[in-house]
Every structure is written in C-alpha cells, then in structure tokens.
Amino acid sequence: MDDLLALVDGQVTRSTLTALRSSVEDYWRRDNEHGGATLRPAVVGHLRYVSRLLDSAEGGLRLDLLAIAAELARLSGWAYFDARQYSTARTYFTQALKLSHGHGDRLFMANVLSCMSLLATYDGNLNDAVTLVCRAQDAARAAGEQPLVMSMLHLREAFAQAALRDARSCHQAVERSRDQYEHVRGREAEAPSWVRYFDETKLLVDTGIAYARLGEAARAEPLIAEGLRREKTDQHRGRALHAFWLASTQLQQGKLDQACTSAGLALDLTAAIDSPRVSGHVQELHRQMLPYAREAPVLVFEQRMREALG
C-alpha cells in the first residue's frame, strides 16, 4: 500500500480539499446509518493518503489539510471504537489530538478529548473518563464561547459520573448541559458543523441514558422513549443504542413485555448495521434477562436473537 501511495501526485489544490471534505462527510453519514466497523479500511487508507499529501503542502493549504487529517484520524478512532477495538481506537484518537494541536484548533481538540472520554467510559477507566472530559471543557473554554459544544461536553461528563455512580456530580453536569443548550437554542447553525448533531432530541435521549447509567430507570425511561419517537428513521445505530437503553430501563422496573418489545426493536436495527458495540449492548441486555429466562416474552426474544446474531 505504501508503494502505491508513493505514486500519488502530491499536488494539493482547493478542489482537492473540497473533495476530501466531501468524502469525510460521506463517511460520517455511512457510519451513522450502518455502523463504523466496515468503514475502517477505507478511512484509514484515506488518512494515510492525506498524511502523504501533507509532505508537499504549504501555507494555508497545509493548515486546511492538517484539519482534514485530524478529522480522518478521529473518524478512524471512532470506527475502531464502534468495532470495540479500544486500544487501536485510542491510538487514532491520540493521532487526531496531535494533528489538531498542529493547526491550533482548540475546539476540535475538545471534540477529540470528548471521544477519548467516552472510550474510557466503555473501557472501564472511569476516572480517566472524567479527567479527559474536564480537559475537553477547558480546551473549549479557551477557544471562546461555544454553548452547544459545552452542552455536549457536560453531558459526556454526566455519562462518566454516572458510570462512577456519583449521582450528585451527574445531575449537576446534566443541569449545566441544559443551561448551555438554552443559550444556543435557535442558533445551533452557528456552532461548528461537527457538533450540530447534538440537537434537542439528542440532549433529551442522552440525559435519559445518563439517568439510566445511574440506575434511575423511572426517570430515564420517558426521556429515552421520547427521543426515540423524535429521531429520524435512518439513524439506525443511534436508534439501536437508544432502544437498548429503553429496554434496559423497562427491565429494571419489571416491565417485561415492554422491555422485550423495545429489545426486539434494538435487535431489528442491530441486524441492519455492522456495529459490534451495539451488538455487545444487545448481548448485555440478554444477560440482564436471565432471571426471567422461562418467561414467554424472553423466550421469543432469545429465539429472534439467535436467528439475527447467530
């Protein structure tokens, strides 16, 4: 592959940058719809290609190319995170952080640090998760007032605090997230493009997930259910994750029929995407159902799960 890339014409133009940005946008769309696992070879290959172009780029073109390389490294990290290959994901997130430092974009650095915080939460490094997201918040503050970015970062902090079972800190982070969102309501288009996914629906459902992580199922359920109702149908992976959390909160409350219905939705959506992270959540939900293993709704779900996931 390196020998092939060496043959590439190293000239960078504005049209080159436009094409690369378009590719990155398409990768993110496909990641959201179908999961990131199968995107890894293409995204990593694109990152290597852009890294070679950096050798010959100069001036403003080089700075713009650095920004694209940083986003491709973050996307690579995200794809490996979705594939549950956490060590490799951490390597690419670290590369993204170094590249974003090279072009001085503190907001993007905050974005990468927030991804690393979520990765640490999944990987069980909960104190690291809190530290990373707090560093992300500091980086965002240093870049200037960006309420939507801060709202997203406070909710990422809520996730980490919830995983630590620190209810007080989790609730405080949720309140800060809501306060920041109110500052930007109606002006979301002014925020950086990478954070605009964090709309009111995302705020709602992520708040529910934070409460679910705390074990506050009754409080979490209506928020997640409303978020699922509002979400676009093409957001397959997000909807699968949220259906899992909805089923989990319902199961915690003993609502077995409803939990199995929500779990069925999660399973249907999981079968349509390639995301080991989501599949892992569905299998976790199955383990949570073991105390009800002889109940008819659970038996039906288990049969569907064997057919869908093998």
Side-chain angles (χ1 to χ4, degrees):
M1 177 62 72
D2 287 339
D3 290 341
L4 289 172
L5 291 173
L7 301 175
V8 172
D9 180 0
Q11 185 176 4
V12 181
T13 65
R14 286 291 166 191
S15 61
T16 306
L17 299 177
T18 300
L20 288 170
R21 290 190 186 104
S22 179
S23 294
V24 171
E25 290 173 2
D26 185 58
Y27 284 141
W28 278 119
R29 179 189 59 78
R30 290 163 62 190
D31 168 80
N32 187 45
E33 293 182 5
H34 307 296
T38 55
L39 292 178
R40 286 170 294 166
V43 176
V44 170
H46 237 126
L47 174 60
R48 294 169 69 182
Y49 169 66
V50 172
S51 297
R52 284 189 171 273
L53 289 180
L54 280 168
D55 293 338
S56 60
E58 297 178 352
L61 288 176
R62 177 176 173 77
L63 287 176
D64 288 344
L65 203 58
L66 269 173
I68 292 171
E71 180 65 347
L72 282 166
R74 184 176 78 94
L75 179 53
S76 298
W78 187 261
Y80 277 97
F81 167 56
D82 201 40
R84 301 179 77 187
Q85 296 185 19
Y86 297 151
S87 295
T88 306
R90 193 175 297 110
T91 298
Y92 281 110
F93 284 145
T94 301
Q95 183 180 0
L97 202 59
K98 291 177 179 177
L99 287 165
S100 59
H101 186 270
H103 66 90
D105 189 340
R106 288 186 176 273
L107 278 179
F108 188 81
M109 291 172 67
N111 188 19
V112 177
L113 286 166
S114 75
C115 293
M116 296 176 79
S117 173
L118 188 62
L119 169 61
T121 299
Y122 268 79
D123 206 18
N125 301 315
L126 304 182
N127 290 317
D128 287 351
V130 174
T131 299
L132 286 163
V133 76
C134 288
R135 289 289 299 274
Q137 292 166 12
D138 289 341
R141 289 189 191 97
E145 192 66 24
Q146 284 288 347
L148 191 60
V149 173
M150 292 304 296
S151 181
M152 181 272 289
L153 293 176
H154 284 306
L155 212 34
R156 284 281 169 90
E157 180 188 353
F159 282 179
Q161 299 289 7
L164 280 169
R165 295 291 177 168
D166 187 339
R168 181 171 178 271
S169 296
C170 176
H171 285 295
Q172 288 176 341
V174 166
E175 288 304 315
R176 287 193 291 268
S177 179
R178 288 173 175 167
D179 289 345
Q180 288 291 330
Y181 192 84
E182 288 305 317
H183 289 315
V184 77
R185 184 183 294 277
R187 298 185 293 109
E188 292 89 343
E190 299 174 9
S193 58
W194 52 261
V195 78
R196 291 177 199 159
Y197 78 94
F198 193 80
D199 56 11
E200 188 174 24
T201 298
K202 186 65 172 166
L203 172 65
L204 192 72
V205 75
D206 279 3
T207 298
I209 291 172
Y211 292 156
R213 286 182 180 275
L214 273 180
E216 299 179 0
R219 194 172 187 178
E221 182 189 355
L223 296 172
I224 300 172
E226 178 62 15
L228 262 172
R229 188 187 68 79
R230 294 186 187 187
E231 281 177 321
K232 297 176 181 177
T233 56
D234 63 353
Q235 295 175 318
H236 301 308
R237 186 183 54 204
R239 286 177 57 78
L241 282 169
H242 301 156
F244 153 77
W245 281 109
L246 180 60
S248 182
T249 61
Q250 291 165 338
L251 192 62
Q252 288 177 49
Q253 298 173 81
K255 301 177 180 179
L256 190 58
D257 287 343
Q258 291 172 273
C260 288
T261 298
S262 299
L265 173 60
L267 189 61
D268 290 343
L269 290 164
T270 300
I273 59 177
D274 186 4
S275 173
R277 177 166 59 110
V278 176
S279 299
H281 277 304
V282 173
Q283 291 162 356
E284 177 189 342
L285 184 62
H286 178 236
R287 289 191 292 271
Q288 292 174 13
M289 289 181 175
L290 288 177
Y292 309 95
R294 296 183 179 181
E295 300 289 340
V298 176
L299 291 172
V300 172
F301 172 72
E302 286 182 338
Q303 179 61 34
R304 291 182 60 191
M305 184 174 171
R306 282 193 293 270
E307 293 171 355
L309 301 182

